[in-house]
Amino acid sequence: MSKIKHIQARQILDSRGNPTVEVDVITENNILGRASIPSGASKGKHEAFELRDNQESIFFGKGVLKAIQNINDIIAPELIGKSVLDQICVDQLMLELDGTENKKRLGSNTILGISLATAKAASNELNIPLYKYIGGVYTRSLPIPLINIVNGGKHSNASSIVFQEFMIVPVKANSFTEALQMGHKVFYKLRSILTKKGFSTNVGDEGGFAPNFNGIEDVLDHILEAIHMANYEPYDQIAIAIDCAASEFCKNNQYDYSEFERSEKKTKDLIKSREEHIHYLSYLVKKYPIISIEDGIDQNDWEGWRLLTHEIGDKIQLVGDDLFVTQVKKLNEGIEKKVANSILIKVNQVGTLTETIETIHVAKKNKYKNIISHRSGDTEDSFIADLSVAFNIEQIKTGSLCRSERTSKYNQLLRIENTLGKYSFYSKWN
């Protein structure tokens, strides 16, 4: 039984150039496990607390030196000598040290860094792949990628589109490798179309293009054009998924589509009631090959979620992100109220690997689909790729096909496929 010998934390930079936490866990056999923590731009109100220094003179208040100090001075001394193979014990001890419901004392970024690094150290200690260490002998399939192609909302400083993400889904790929090839072809066809029309091809936080489109349907029309130019059939071969991030533009129970307009214009038809907003989403699903909508309704609007689920929940995937924030308590509330049918899984929303796994199991038990997800401010750490394979998760969101913090996850999944074989791909949507 190998024990933890040393824990060391440091401040590094994420994909937006902001500080984040990196943790090394070293065993008595000098085996290293290293993890770095992502951060979101649009965050659910009920996410676990992310600890920042809030000193404006240092990284504009975004430093994480308090988190580093908590690791080195408070948590590390309690974990030295504990078994690196006892993930539940390690996570539970940190939760007890924190003692708050949302990890406000020590910070979720503090606790999660150790939690993930411990799992990596354990898999390295046993000399088995991380996905197999976490998931065990039943690990057998790779997820379908939801490939980011256009960024809007808080993920872009240039685009005026209120919805946050537009993704393509290679539903008829026969392997993960083929899925990426299909996505790559559509991504670069879209780039060619945008270039010819004089649009910017700069990318947003998650690697998708972020030109100043003329509204949501203009985005979808361009994506359809790219799918056709790539010689794929919309819906049958490549479908579309969107992340509305509705909590970012819902004010006083109204959905303000002009919230992210770069001009000062405010027109009445861009401010929709809950019912008008739901009607518009239903219209988009009928008009375009959309098979998944994430955060279509504000995180606190349970009645809106009930209405949306009743309207289109039997037709497409409805994903709760800000709604559930990867927490069992919130997911159980949604199950009881019969809203949504899928959950986005983000490890830093809840703060430990153990709690993340518990949420995944509750979702599976209640026939909610799981989608493993990155964050808009991410690192080259590919942990979520292994996590998706560990529990045979149906789908993964890890951004576009550019920027190393995005491609690192895809590359790890390609390595895993090379080990498991191409027939390990989760090749069915429903």
Side-chain angles (χ1 to χ4, degrees):
M1 181 178 72
S2 183
K3 297 178 180 179
I4 296 173
K5 181 177 75 172
H6 182 62
I7 296 174
Q8 180 66 48
R10 65 187 63 86
Q11 180 174 264
I12 63 169
L13 300 180
D14 68 15
S15 60
R16 282 196 287 258
N18 291 326
T20 192
V21 176
E22 182 176 79
V23 180
D24 292 349
V25 170
I26 301 171
T27 73
E28 59 187 0
N29 293 321
N30 292 321
I31 301 297
L32 170 68
R34 174 175 291 164
S36 53
I37 305 306
S39 178
S42 59
K43 299 177 183 177
K45 292 181 180 178
H46 306 288
E47 287 191 27
F49 179 74
E50 180 184 67
L51 183 63
R52 297 282 179 177
D53 296 339
N54 295 318
Q55 294 184 26
E56 186 64 23
S57 61
I58 304 175
F59 287 107
F60 300 104
K62 294 183 181 293
V64 291
L65 296 181
K66 290 180 182 177
I68 304 303
Q69 186 175 5
N70 285 345
I71 292 171
N72 294 336
D73 295 349
I74 299 176
I75 303 177
E78 297 293 330
L79 291 181
I80 302 303
K82 297 292 189 294
S83 172
V84 75
L85 303 177
D86 195 343
Q87 185 74 40
I88 294 176
C89 175
V90 168
D91 287 350
Q92 185 59 40
L93 192 151
M94 289 191 290
L95 294 178
E96 291 172 0
L97 283 173
D98 179 83
T100 67
E101 187 175 357
N102 69 341
K103 302 172 180 64
K104 194 163 187 176
R105 177 177 175 237
L106 298 177
S108 64
N109 47 340
T110 305
I111 294 170
L112 183 63
I114 296 177
S115 181
L116 300 188
T118 297
K120 287 187 174 185
S123 73
N124 292 336
E125 181 79 22
L126 297 173
N127 196 29
I128 60 176
L130 180 59
Y131 64 86
K132 193 165 286 293
Y133 170 71
I134 298 171
V137 297
Y138 295 104
T139 294
R140 62 184 181 278
S141 65
L142 282 81
I144 298 172
L146 277 59
I147 301 170
N148 189 302
I149 195 167
V150 172
N151 288 180
K154 280 196 171 182
H155 289 177
S156 168
N157 290 323
S159 173
S160 62
I161 304 304
V162 67
F163 289 177
Q164 191 161 270
E165 292 182 70
F166 296 80
M167 296 158 280
I168 50 175
V169 189
V171 291
K172 283 299 175 70
N174 293 310
S175 66
F176 189 81
T177 298
E178 184 182 1
L180 288 193
Q181 290 172 348
M182 293 170 71
H184 181 276
K185 191 173 183 180
V186 175
F187 181 79
Y188 281 96
K189 288 296 182 183
L190 178 58
R191 181 179 181 178
S192 176
I193 292 168
L194 295 177
T195 300
K196 288 179 181 178
K197 293 184 178 182
F199 283 106
S200 167
T201 55
N202 290 334
V203 298
D205 283 351
E206 296 185 345
F209 299 117
N212 196 4
F213 285 109
N214 186 28
I216 293 163
E217 291 174 62
D218 189 33
V219 177
L220 294 168
D221 288 336
H222 276 85
I223 293 175
L224 270 182
E225 185 179 353
I227 293 172
H228 284 299
M229 281 190 65
N231 296 317
Y232 295 122
E233 286 296 321
Y235 193 85
D236 288 337
Q237 291 179 292
I238 291 188
I240 296 173
I242 59 177
D243 174 10
C244 298
S247 297
E248 299 298 329
F249 60 94
C250 180
K251 313 294 179 186
N252 300 318
N253 293 320
Q254 290 187 313
Y255 292 84
D256 185 356
Y257 281 47
S258 66
E259 178 71 17
F260 289 88
E261 287 287 348
R262 306 307 168 189
S263 67
E264 296 299 319
K265 65 181 181 179
K266 292 273 184 179
T267 59
K268 188 176 180 180
D269 63 326
L270 290 177
I271 300 177
K272 302 180 186 294
S273 68
R274 171 203 287 156
E275 289 72 21
E276 288 170 334
H277 172 63
I278 291 172
H279 178 75
Y280 184 63
L281 293 179
S282 181
Y283 158 78
L284 291 178
V285 169
K286 292 174 183 175
K287 183 177 180 181
Y288 298 98
I290 296 170
I291 59 174
S292 178
I293 295 178
E294 177 187 331
D295 278 353
I297 297 293
D298 177 71
Q299 61 197 311
N300 295 315
D301 187 0
W302 288 99
E303 176 61 14
W305 272 100
R306 187 190 68 79
L307 292 172
L308 180 66
T309 305
H310 181 265
E311 180 76 15
I312 57 175
D314 61 339
K315 300 178 179 68
I316 68 166
Q317 177 173 275
L318 293 177
V319 186
D321 174 17
D322 293 343
L323 179 70
F324 297 138
V325 289
T326 317
Q327 295 176 19
V328 168
K329 181 179 178 181
K330 299 294 292 184
L331 175 58
N332 279 331
E333 187 175 0
I335 292 167
E336 182 180 346
K337 294 179 178 178
K338 298 181 179 179
V339 303
N341 53 36
S342 307
I343 180 173
L344 206 68
I345 300 293
K346 295 175 175 175
V347 289
N348 77 320
Q349 284 183 329
V350 63
T352 66
L353 177 57
T354 302
E355 291 167 293
T356 303
I357 293 171
E358 183 183 1
T359 302
I360 290 171
H361 286 325
V362 170
K364 282 179 172 287
K365 181 180 178 180
N366 289 277
K367 302 190 185 312
Y368 275 56
K369 288 185 179 179
N370 288 283
I371 303 99
I372 299 294
S373 178
H374 61 164
R375 298 306 297 256
S376 55
D378 218 304
T379 74
E380 297 90 345
D381 193 322
S382 61
F383 188 95
I384 63 169
D386 285 82
L387 181 63
S388 70
V389 177
F391 297 104
N392 306 303
I393 301 299
E394 297 95 333
Q395 301 153 49
I396 190 169
K397 272 181 59 177
T398 185
S400 192
L401 297 174
C402 64
R403 299 179 56 124
S404 62
E405 78 279 2
R406 314 298 158 188
T407 58
S408 63
K409 284 75 166 171
Y410 291 128
N411 289 339
Q412 177 65 0
L413 286 166
L414 290 170
R415 297 182 193 105
I416 294 172
E417 182 174 60
N418 187 248
T419 300
L420 296 180
K422 70 176 184 177
Y423 297 109
S424 62
F425 182 56
Y426 193 101
S427 59
K428 59 182 180 178
W429 177 257
N430 294 315

